[in-house]
Amino acid sequence: MKASKRIFVWIIISLILQCSVYLFLDKFYYAEEGNIKINKDTTTDDQQKKVTPNVVFGNNVKNISLSDDLNYTAYLSNGHVIVVDTNTGKVRGNLNYSSGIQCLSYKWVPSTDRIMIVEKISPSQIRFYSYDAENQVKSEVDDTLNKRINSVPAGQTANMQISDLTGLLYIKVGYNSIRDNIYRIDRNETLTRSVTGRNIGAIALASDDDQLAYEDLGSGTIRTNYKLKTYIAISGVSRPSIIGTDSNDNFYIGNGREQSSVVYYGKLTENTSAWKKIQLGSMVNNDSIVVKENGNVYIVDREKSTVTDVKSNKSYNYQGNFCEINDEYIVYTNGGKLMIKQMK
């Protein structure tokens, strides 16, 4: 019994000592560590996009556009596309333009620092390139259509649309006043011809699917490559126009060829009778209506230097020449300098 009592006493003492040690560690040794506040990462998208533009443009500059993260600025000058660092204004690499080469069009690939370029290299030939602004690498796009590199006949104009999620790229090449071809470049940068038509107007591409819509100016209709809906027909609209698309695969269609007072939107998988509509309040030039990936619709008034959010009816002022809306930023120039203003 005495041995059992001694064992019991030692167990009690051991427990008391352990509790005392734990109490000491909790109250004193780990006190400062226990009081440390764990904060969430405060590096938001807005903070990441806070850049200080330091880009000055010369004469004859057009088509100014920024990458999604605002880090790089591209523009056309004397028929060549130039890419610069937005913060420093320094040119990013040499895009290797020899005499006679003309850039017909370029477009930033969403959520990347890469642009796609259409170059007219001779009176009879164009080529397609991609350029990585971060790594300063320019590469050609493979032409499987003719089993050799970039043997597409030269056109006079080019217009590109890129899918945000699939990486698909469609390029409308205009050859004359009535003949146009639409080419398709997939994520692997493989080129094929998609549409051969006459008098094609604006084109639009869904974000999450290989769905293309384009204006057939001859018939006044909007055609698609979607098997279940080869036309976009909206009741009461005789001369529809393509305004844009959003990240939910909605197509936005205006109710007039040059100007619209109503914009209808919905998916090609839906009946257009179920599409929603946005009242603009008055007739607005179609090229002044901007649809962003998040579904926000803006009206740009270049004379009054305002951008109006149609849904909230809130207007934002800027001073200078409008370039584009990048996410929720107005990009414009003032006195030849690049300016960026957040809409908030």
Side-chain angles (χ1 to χ4, degrees), residues 232-252:
I232 297 178
I234 299 174
S235 178
V237 178
S238 59
R239 302 288 290 183
S241 57
I242 292 175
I243 303 298
T245 59
D246 64 23
S247 60
N248 289 320
D249 288 346
N250 291 311
F251 285 80
Y252 290 70

Side-chain angles (χ1 to χ4, degrees), residues 40 45 226 300 306 338:
K40 293 183 178 179
D45 290 341
Y226 187 52
V300 180
T306 61
L338 179 67

Side-chain angles (χ1 to χ4, degrees), residues 4 75 109 123 135 140 168 217 277 313:
S4 299
Y75 58 91
V109 178
N135 297 309
E140 293 186 57
L168 286 173
L217 299 180
K277 62 181 180 180
N313 201 33

Side-chain angles (χ1 to χ4, degrees), residues 292-318:
K292 299 306 296 179
E293 292 79 6
N294 59 6
N296 285 351
V297 179
Y298 300 95
I299 296 176
V300 180
D301 190 326
R302 291 171 173 82
E303 293 184 358
K304 296 181 180 179
S305 296
T306 61
V307 172
T308 301
D309 185 329
V310 174
K311 293 181 180 179
S312 68
N313 201 33
K314 185 175 181 179
S315 293
Y316 306 89
N317 297 314
Y318 64 92

Side-chain angles (χ1 to χ4, degrees), residues 248-275:
N248 289 320
D249 288 346
N250 291 311
F251 285 80
Y252 290 70
I253 307 299
N255 67 337
R257 172 55 56 200
E258 303 294 335
Q259 294 183 320
S260 298
S261 60
V262 180
V263 174
Y264 298 84
Y265 67 98
K267 297 177 174 59
L268 295 186
T269 55
E270 303 171 332
N271 192 306
T272 53
S273 62
W275 282 24

